[in-house]
Amino acid sequence: MKGVGPQRADLLKKELNIFTFRDLLEHFPFRHVDKSKVSLIADITPQTDYIQVTGRLSNIEVIGHKGAKRMVAALRDSSGTIELVWFQGISWVQKSLSSGQSYLVYGKVGFFQDKVQIVHPEMEAWTPDKKEGKSFLEPVYPTTEKLRTKGLGGKQIGKLTQALLAQVNEKDLSENLPQNIINNLKLIGRYEAYRQIHFPANSEQYEQASERLKFEELFLAQLRMNLLRSKRHRFSKGVVFDKVGEMFNTFYKNYLPFELTNAQKRVIREIRTDTATGKHMNRLLQGDVGSGKTIVALLIMLLAIDNGYQACMMAPTEILAKQHLDSLKGVMSDLPIGVELLTGSTKSKNRKEILKRLSEGDIKILIGTHAVIEDVVQFQNLGIVIIDEQHKFGVAQRAKLWGKSETPPHVLVMTATPIPRTLAMTAYGDLDYSAIDELPPGRQPVVTVHRYESQRSRVMSFLRAEIDKGRQAYIIFPLIEESDKLDYENLMNGYEVVKGYFPEPKYWISMVHGRQPSEQKEQNMQRFVNGESNIMVSTTVIEVGVNVPNANVMVIESAEKFGLSQLHQLRGRVGRGAEKSYCILLSGSKLGIDARERIKILTVTNNGFEIAEKDMELRGPGDIEGTRQSGMLNFKLANIVHDRPLLEKARSFAIAIVENDPDLLSAENLRLKNFLQQQKGKIAWSKIS
Ligand code: ADP
Ligand code: MG
């Protein structure tokens, strides 16, 4: 491209990821400035913000020394004079301007000792017979400091884009959306949209272009995911769980400790139907904390076993894996099913034994952490993998599980944190989806209150009263980074303070944190689970999954430091027994607006789905835990929070197309098919979620 030599090209790649013409076209302006009008200097008032004027330049001079050095010049039009000032790049500016010449000048108006001036104005040579002003809004592009110093500031990039658009014709940006959608939504054409998003004549044109391109982005993403899903439904091969057998039935009749909720029953039915078809299941199971996902997982694993397969359940931490093992063993009691635990700290002798029995098919259920994805772990015939609290696992790690059997095992991903609907449909649109949207009966909402640091001793008195009634309590400290020294000091100090309020031997305190060896963690945890200690002082390592029904109070220290979903997740550790439960959010007295909002939301609702929506509004979609790859949510223009109506439309059009024409064979969808075929090369991670 003219104007881009090797050095600039290199910088564009490195700094902005612009490699191709297409990348440049998709480097969209973040705002536009209106330079369609030219004003008279005499019109400037103290209220004037940015202005564009024309005039003749004179009296260029450099004044002052060193730090105070600046260049000034006068600009005169038919109505008056203003001063132009430069502090930087003086020698370059001096060379590029000439006295007596006319300029089109744009910039922010300032006043200095009653003189009107523009500092660092944008200057463009101008001849009096030229049409005044620009016929379009001028785009300003995101750029970097480095590029700026090489003459590629936010405005100069626009020059490149303009030059590029001059070479691009309608064929290069041919329409890719079906005509009926375009008509239905009254969208402008693709070629027009690209021109107008960069150089709109007015703000309506900009809006039209942005609507069209946002829709295209969202629609194509939805279409891709629904096509993948449809392909999987039609062509994939999966192991068949077509019978409900002895283990499932025996367990259901004789061992199930409670009546399942309707939501649990429905989800089990959905999974049963899905795994009986011979197609591969790739399903996301959402359920608020405490909704009872574990028992669903167990029943599904029994289903696998009844059909002659092994099952594997992965948890993100050793504590959790161990707890799953214990609770499964607890409810299964004397059912003749081999269940084992495999984690990083499984001793090598034991490990050998487990691996052997696993490959011989003697172990039917393997519970574990990341350790189960190592290559040495070989199953005889793995039928299903259940991933608990999925966001702790990377996508590539999950991919490894697929290699563990000839026909890929079914995958059930259980999320710890509910995901807002818009997010689920964007990030997980290719997965099948089930939700447990009902809590087991008799659950009381956790009473949540906000207290300030200064009220600590009252909070501790309350805690003491509950503990004296025989209950247990959690006290949670923030731990942002495993390596954060300050957080550890806080935790240790906090521990001492708690000890002061609850002295031994009347009270016992367990402490668990990430720096402890896992054995010690385990031991301390176990003491609390067994009721040998009254208080668990912990960092967020207990965030996910542990189940101690007798614990009914949770104090969260420095609650302002936690994210909303994280707080909700933590709170889910209490309210699991019959007793009324409490969550006390302690904070300092100075709170930012966002922190105050987060804390407030928690005190008014216990509904995880509602909280997840709020969290997304507050933080933006990219930061929400539970998202698979933030890349999937990084649309160039669209934003799933603000453009929700458009997303809903895009989704329903995409679904309709895939339902009626899953291979895009109709003439109407030919454009789409061609377009998608051109766009290849990305890894289909969605297959392995
Ligand atoms: P989560 O969905 O957060 O993983 P769990 O599976 O740990 O929830 O279940 C939370 C608690 O609720 C456990 O003590 C479990 O035994 C209990 N539970 C699950 N389902 C039911 C039910 N249908 N009726 C009564 N209690 C249930
Ligand atoms: Mg759980």
mmCIF file of all heavy atoms in Angstrom, residues 289-290 293-294 320 324 388-389 414 416 544-546 573 576, ligand 2:
data_model
loop_
_atom_site.group_PDB
_atom_site.id
_atom_site.type_symbol
_atom_site.label_atom_id
_atom_site.label_comp_id
_atom_site.label_asym_id
_atom_site.label_seq_id
_atom_site.Cartn_x
_atom_site.Cartn_y
_atom_site.Cartn_z
ATOM 1 N N VAL A 289 -25.392 -22.394 42.907
ATOM 2 C CA VAL A 289 -24.753 -23.135 44.001
ATOM 3 C C VAL A 289 -25.828 -23.811 44.840
ATOM 4 O O VAL A 289 -26.846 -23.205 45.169
ATOM 5 C CB VAL A 289 -23.934 -22.233 44.953
ATOM 6 C CG1 VAL A 289 -22.499 -22.192 44.534
ATOM 7 C CG2 VAL A 289 -24.519 -20.853 45.049
ATOM 8 N N GLY A 290 -25.590 -25.054 45.157
ATOM 9 C CA GLY A 290 -26.518 -25.767 46.024
ATOM 10 C C GLY A 290 -27.723 -26.336 45.315
ATOM 11 O O GLY A 290 -28.625 -26.890 45.939
ATOM 12 N N LYS A 293 -26.084 -30.416 41.703
ATOM 13 C CA LYS A 293 -25.516 -30.936 40.460
ATOM 14 C C LYS A 293 -24.826 -32.282 40.689
ATOM 15 O O LYS A 293 -24.784 -33.120 39.801
ATOM 16 C CB LYS A 293 -24.533 -29.922 39.866
ATOM 17 C CG LYS A 293 -25.208 -28.626 39.414
ATOM 18 C CD LYS A 293 -24.245 -27.664 38.741
ATOM 19 C CE LYS A 293 -23.289 -26.986 39.697
ATOM 20 N NZ LYS A 293 -23.932 -25.993 40.578
ATOM 21 N N THR A 294 -24.271 -32.457 41.897
ATOM 22 C CA THR A 294 -23.464 -33.655 42.138
ATOM 23 C C THR A 294 -24.274 -34.941 41.982
ATOM 24 O O THR A 294 -23.812 -35.900 41.372
ATOM 25 C CB THR A 294 -22.853 -33.611 43.552
ATOM 26 O OG1 THR A 294 -22.396 -32.283 43.806
ATOM 27 C CG2 THR A 294 -21.705 -34.571 43.674
ATOM 28 N N LEU A 320 -11.771 -30.483 46.532
ATOM 29 C CA LEU A 320 -13.067 -30.756 45.922
ATOM 30 C C LEU A 320 -13.178 -32.178 45.409
ATOM 31 O O LEU A 320 -14.195 -32.845 45.592
ATOM 32 C CB LEU A 320 -13.253 -29.815 44.739
ATOM 33 C CG LEU A 320 -14.293 -28.751 44.934
ATOM 34 C CD1 LEU A 320 -14.329 -27.857 43.717
ATOM 35 C CD2 LEU A 320 -15.648 -29.399 45.146
ATOM 36 N N HIS A 324 -15.858 -34.880 46.572
ATOM 37 C CA HIS A 324 -16.731 -35.626 45.664
ATOM 38 C C HIS A 324 -16.619 -37.119 45.950
ATOM 39 O O HIS A 324 -17.609 -37.831 46.013
ATOM 40 C CB HIS A 324 -16.344 -35.359 44.208
ATOM 41 C CG HIS A 324 -16.946 -34.107 43.648
ATOM 42 N ND1 HIS A 324 -18.224 -33.710 43.942
ATOM 43 C CD2 HIS A 324 -16.447 -33.174 42.803
ATOM 44 C CE1 HIS A 324 -18.480 -32.577 43.305
ATOM 45 N NE2 HIS A 324 -17.417 -32.228 42.614
ATOM 46 N N ASP A 388 -16.552 -30.607 36.577
ATOM 47 C CA ASP A 388 -17.213 -29.753 37.561
ATOM 48 C C ASP A 388 -16.507 -28.402 37.606
ATOM 49 O O ASP A 388 -15.294 -28.338 37.509
ATOM 50 C CB ASP A 388 -17.150 -30.429 38.937
ATOM 51 C CG ASP A 388 -18.154 -29.815 39.908
ATOM 52 O OD1 ASP A 388 -19.014 -29.029 39.461
ATOM 53 O OD2 ASP A 388 -18.070 -30.112 41.105
ATOM 54 N N GLU A 389 -17.270 -27.348 37.753
ATOM 55 C CA GLU A 389 -16.704 -26.003 37.891
ATOM 56 C C GLU A 389 -15.764 -25.726 36.730
ATOM 57 O O GLU A 389 -14.603 -25.429 36.906
ATOM 58 C CB GLU A 389 -15.935 -25.858 39.208
ATOM 59 C CG GLU A 389 -16.424 -26.710 40.365
ATOM 60 C CD GLU A 389 -17.780 -26.281 40.908
ATOM 61 O OE1 GLU A 389 -18.436 -25.431 40.271
ATOM 62 O OE2 GLU A 389 -18.164 -26.805 41.961
ATOM 63 N N MET A 414 -20.268 -28.902 34.055
ATOM 64 C CA MET A 414 -21.162 -28.305 35.047
ATOM 65 C C MET A 414 -20.580 -26.979 35.513
ATOM 66 O O MET A 414 -19.445 -26.931 35.967
ATOM 67 C CB MET A 414 -21.305 -29.236 36.251
ATOM 68 C CG MET A 414 -21.692 -30.658 35.872
ATOM 69 S SD MET A 414 -22.396 -31.592 37.240
ATOM 70 C CE MET A 414 -21.004 -31.736 38.339
ATOM 71 N N ALA A 416 -20.116 -23.701 37.868
ATOM 72 C CA ALA A 416 -20.290 -23.310 39.264
ATOM 73 C C ALA A 416 -21.064 -22.011 39.331
ATOM 74 O O ALA A 416 -21.887 -21.792 40.202
ATOM 75 C CB ALA A 416 -18.937 -23.123 39.912
ATOM 76 N N VAL A 544 -15.093 -23.087 45.772
ATOM 77 C CA VAL A 544 -15.945 -23.976 45.016
ATOM 78 C C VAL A 544 -16.198 -25.291 45.713
ATOM 79 O O VAL A 544 -15.289 -25.983 46.137
ATOM 80 C CB VAL A 544 -15.338 -24.242 43.631
ATOM 81 C CG1 VAL A 544 -15.695 -23.122 42.695
ATOM 82 C CG2 VAL A 544 -13.841 -24.399 43.722
ATOM 83 N N GLY A 545 -17.454 -25.586 45.854
ATOM 84 C CA GLY A 545 -17.847 -26.950 46.129
ATOM 85 C C GLY A 545 -17.941 -27.521 47.516
ATOM 86 O O GLY A 545 -18.749 -28.392 47.713
ATOM 87 N N VAL A 546 -17.129 -27.099 48.501
ATOM 88 C CA VAL A 546 -17.183 -27.868 49.751
ATOM 89 C C VAL A 546 -18.552 -27.779 50.408
ATOM 90 O O VAL A 546 -19.263 -26.797 50.302
ATOM 91 C CB VAL A 546 -16.104 -27.447 50.775
ATOM 92 C CG1 VAL A 546 -14.735 -27.802 50.272
ATOM 93 C CG2 VAL A 546 -16.229 -26.005 51.138
ATOM 94 N N ARG A 573 -21.631 -21.562 50.192
ATOM 95 C CA ARG A 573 -21.120 -22.567 51.144
ATOM 96 C C ARG A 573 -21.981 -22.641 52.393
ATOM 97 O O ARG A 573 -21.908 -23.609 53.128
ATOM 98 C CB ARG A 573 -19.676 -22.265 51.561
ATOM 99 C CG ARG A 573 -18.658 -22.254 50.461
ATOM 100 C CD ARG A 573 -18.656 -23.538 49.697
ATOM 101 N NE ARG A 573 -19.198 -23.326 48.363
ATOM 102 C CZ ARG A 573 -19.814 -24.237 47.656
ATOM 103 N NH1 ARG A 573 -20.019 -25.432 48.149
ATOM 104 N NH2 ARG A 573 -20.273 -23.957 46.461
ATOM 105 N N ARG A 576 -26.781 -24.563 53.665
ATOM 106 C CA ARG A 576 -26.910 -25.928 53.159
ATOM 107 C C ARG A 576 -27.588 -26.849 54.159
ATOM 108 O O ARG A 576 -27.875 -27.988 53.869
ATOM 109 C CB ARG A 576 -25.529 -26.475 52.829
ATOM 110 C CG ARG A 576 -24.865 -25.607 51.813
ATOM 111 C CD ARG A 576 -23.611 -26.205 51.263
ATOM 112 N NE ARG A 576 -23.468 -25.686 49.914
ATOM 113 C CZ ARG A 576 -23.256 -26.429 48.846
ATOM 114 N NH1 ARG A 576 -23.135 -27.717 48.954
ATOM 115 N NH2 ARG A 576 -23.162 -25.869 47.664
HETATM 116 MG MG MG B 2 -20.828 -28.619 43.204
#
